[in-house]
Amino acid sequence: MRKYLLPKEGTFYKANLHCHTTVTDGKLSPEEIKKEYMKKGYSVVAYTDHNVFLDYQHLTDEKFVALNGVESNTPADGGGPLSKDSKVCHFCAIAKDKTNLILPCYHREKYFHVGNAESYRSQVKFDESEPDYERYHCLACVNDMMQRFKSAGFFVTYNHPGWSLERYPDYIGYRHMDAIEIYNGSCIHSGYADYNSKEYDDFLMKGRRIFCVGADDNHNRFPIDSADCESFRAFTMLKAKSLTYEGIIEALENGNFYASQGPEIYELYYEDSKIYVKTSDCERITMSANGRRNQTVRNQGKGLTEGVFQVTPDDGYIRITVMDKYGKTASSNGYFVDEF
């Protein structure tokens, strides 16, 4: 029986799930972000400024969905200023319900220090019955923060472990994210090690059933049309029933998407112990299984747009990576064989 890993029905919508604006330390306003991203074929942007959670639904229309989000973080080790060797943890949280405007883990005096954040503090809503939430860079605090956001109805993505200087002993204990940024576009563009395929495999090999997303983390400190601009570097392609807030959230919750730096995955399904994938023109398609049993098909000079791979019960999980002639990749979510 055929099982579609990317739904057969629905439409693909291009999304940036990590974005900064003039609300904190970005250089473009929320309205300018919508305009520039729509020019590049995007239909969805999650507005995730640092510790400032606002309502962006005035930007949503029949051709564009603005997701209400926030990037939350722990302070540097020891609570001091960020230094060259300070470890931190950043994660994005996207509200699943567009009417949910209460920011978890709120502190009445701290954590509004980035860019213009202080100017927007009065617009942020929080549960006034809750005490101030103190943050620390430690396993217990990160897990508690992520769990509080998830319990409050947010989709949580773990961000740029490379830039954050987090290594395996730091991140492997994080328990409450829905996804990891396999591509952080601005970090990769700036030379950081934030093509996080190994980190994603680390979680999958531990049996952690999480998704992977691509996002820009754009601040737009350089002109939008310059080679230094960090926008349009990585994205998530969501297969949704409708271009509505509810339709996009449903696609996120169900893992109906893939992450990419450029290549496209048109079709992905499982049938009779095989994985079938159809893609844009590429140089190679790889199925990774349980971190080691990889299979690859390559362009033999005739063009490559599809692959078929054998799956065995011992594979644990599989995921697909597509590479184009420029070395850019697209990554499917990890799929566990016991669910086929």
Side-chain angles (χ1 to χ4, degrees):
M1 181 177 177
R2 182 173 297 185
K3 177 183 175 66
Y4 281 92
L5 306 181
L6 288 172
K8 181 177 176 63
E9 306 300 328
T11 302
F12 278 116
Y13 298 107
K14 194 173 186 178
N16 176 20
L17 299 179
H18 186 172
C19 170
H20 297 286
T21 74
T22 50
V23 170
T24 57
D25 57 347
K27 298 302 181 183
L28 298 181
S29 69
E31 291 77 11
E32 289 171 322
I33 288 292
K34 173 182 176 179
K35 177 182 176 182
E36 296 300 335
Y37 271 82
M38 288 189 72
K39 285 181 184 178
K40 294 292 187 179
Y42 286 73
S43 301
V44 181
V45 170
Y47 289 86
T48 56
D49 272 301
H50 299 281
N51 299 309
V52 179
F53 180 52
L54 301 177
D55 185 358
Y56 294 95
Q57 292 317 294
H58 62 287
L59 298 175
T60 294
D61 56 36
E62 68 279 1
K63 295 183 179 180
F64 183 83
V65 171
L67 298 176
N68 297 335
V70 62
E71 184 174 28
S72 193
N73 65 279
T74 63
D77 293 337
L82 194 66
S83 65
K84 65 179 179 63
D85 55 357
S86 298
K87 291 183 180 181
V88 292
C89 177
H90 286 211
F91 62 88
C92 282
I94 298 169
K96 296 179 182 180
D97 183 341
K98 64 187 175 185
T99 67
N100 175 15
L101 298 174
I102 303 299
L103 176 64
C105 303
Y106 187 83
H107 197 289
R108 292 166 179 81
E109 297 179 2
K110 298 181 180 180
Y111 314 126
F112 281 81
H113 60 282
V114 179
N116 300 312
E118 186 62 44
S119 299
Y120 291 87
R121 178 194 289 270
S122 62
Q123 298 181 36
V124 177
K125 299 178 181 177
F126 63 98
D127 186 344
E128 296 186 18
S129 69
E130 290 287 328
D132 289 339
Y133 189 93
E134 293 283 354
R135 305 178 187 182
Y136 306 92
H137 184 254
C138 66
L139 179 63
C141 186
V142 171
N143 276 329
D144 186 62
M145 289 179 68
M146 287 183 175
Q147 186 173 42
R148 285 172 182 259
F149 272 91
K150 280 181 64 70
S151 297
F154 288 77
F155 184 91
V156 175
T157 66
Y158 174 48
N159 300 343
H160 51 61
W163 180 91
S164 299
L165 301 186
E166 293 202 301
R167 302 298 183 255
Y168 183 90
D170 305 302
Y171 62 71
I172 200 60
Y174 296 161
R175 291 279 174 185
H176 302 291
M177 76 279 278
D178 295 288
I180 182 175
E181 279 183 345
I182 196 166
Y183 308 113
N184 182 291
S186 67
C187 286
I188 294 170
H189 188 57
S190 299
Y192 295 98
D194 273 304
Y195 169 28
N196 298 304
S197 60
K198 178 185 178 298
E199 288 80 355
Y200 188 37
D201 278 321
D202 286 340
F203 284 113
L204 295 175
M205 283 189 280
K206 285 288 187 180
R208 303 286 298 286
R209 303 189 184 215
I210 63 173
F211 306 130
C212 67
V213 301
D216 278 334
D217 190 8
N218 53 294
H219 296 74
N220 301 107
R221 299 185 179 101
F222 299 94
I224 201 76
D225 57 352
S226 76
D228 293 314
C229 179
E230 73 271 26
S231 284
F232 325 123
R233 300 290 174 179
F235 54 90
T236 301
M237 289 295 284
L238 296 141
K239 192 76 173 288
K241 297 175 183 176
S242 63
L243 184 59
T244 61
Y245 199 107
E246 297 74 16
I248 295 303
I249 292 299
E250 181 183 24
L252 276 175
E253 288 186 296
N254 293 326
N256 296 336
F257 56 84
Y258 65 90
S260 184
Q261 296 173 297
E264 297 178 86
I265 302 175
Y266 301 135
E267 200 168 87
L268 183 61
Y269 62 88
Y270 172 85
E271 186 174 34
D272 297 331
S273 298
K274 292 183 175 66
I275 291 289
Y276 296 81
V277 57
K278 296 183 180 180
T279 72
S280 57
D281 191 56
C282 63
E283 290 299 300
R284 76 184 192 201
I285 306 170
T286 297
M287 186 190 81
S288 303
N290 222 32
R292 177 163 287 168
R293 201 185 72 82
N294 290 6
Q295 303 170 53
T296 298
V297 292
R298 294 178 174 81
N299 188 346
Q300 302 295 327
K302 300 179 181 179
L304 178 64
T305 58
E306 59 185 353
V308 181
F309 305 96
Q310 185 70 44
V311 177
T312 74
D314 293 333
D315 282 335
Y317 73 87
I318 65 93
R319 64 182 187 87
I320 298 295
T321 304
V322 181
M323 179 178 287
D324 67 15
K325 64 182 180 181
Y326 304 107
K328 301 294 186 181
T329 58
S331 297
S332 79
N333 285 314
Y335 300 96
F336 283 78
V337 174
D338 62 13
E339 296 180 353
F340 291 159

